Amino acid sequence: MQTSYFRRPNSDLFLNLLSVESISPPSFRRKKVSKKATQAQKNGIRYQNKVQEAYIAKYGSDFIRSPWFKYTYTNALGEVESNVCQPDGLLFLTDKD
C-alpha cells in the first residue's frame, strides 16, 4: 500500500473510498506560520483562526477545529492507496441548527 502525504488524488482516480479514520496530527505538519510566509498567507491564517473561534463560540463541541483524517481508497488501476487530509473544521449539524 502506498502512502503519499503531499499529493492530492486526481478526482478521476478517486473511485472507491474504503475507509476514513481520525488520526493524531502527522509529524510533518507545520506548528507555526513560517517566517517565509507571505503577508497574504499570514492574513489567510489569521482569518481562518478568527472564523474558527467564531464557530467554536457559536457551536461549541459541535465544531472540531482542523481535524486530521487518514483515508484509504482504490484507484482506477485497482490499487489501494492511503492519504491524509486536514479540513479547516468539521461541523456536526443537528435538527436544532
Side-chain angles (χ1 to χ4, degrees):
M1 180 178 354
Q2 173 186 348
T3 301
S4 172
Y5 294 109
F6 299 102
R7 178 178 67 107
R8 174 177 286 166
N10 181 327
S11 60
D12 295 337
L13 298 178
F14 195 79
L15 295 178
N16 187 16
L17 186 63
L18 301 174
S19 66
V20 177
E21 62 182 291
S22 179
I23 61 171
S24 298
S27 59
F28 66 79
R29 81 187 196 298
R30 291 187 184 144
K31 295 182 181 168
K32 293 192 275 184
V33 178
S34 169
K35 292 180 181 178
K36 296 179 183 179
T38 66
Q39 189 61 45
Q41 289 170 320
K42 291 176 184 177
N43 289 342
I45 291 170
R46 194 172 12 260
Y47 178 76
Q48 177 181 332
N49 288 335
K50 188 176 181 179
V51 170
Q52 288 176 332
E53 289 299 324
Y55 272 55
I56 289 168
K58 182 173 182 175
Y59 297 106
S61 62
D62 287 338
F63 179 73
I64 300 174
R65 173 185 229 158
S66 304
W68 280 93
F69 297 99
K70 177 181 178 182
Y71 59 95
T72 305
Y73 64 98
T74 305
N75 66 22
L77 302 174
E79 301 166 331
V80 175
E81 295 187 351
S82 293
N83 211 328
V84 295
C85 64
Q86 183 190 30
D88 292 341
L90 185 60
L91 178 61
F92 295 94
L93 296 176
T94 61
D95 292 336
K96 67 181 179 183
D97 301 320

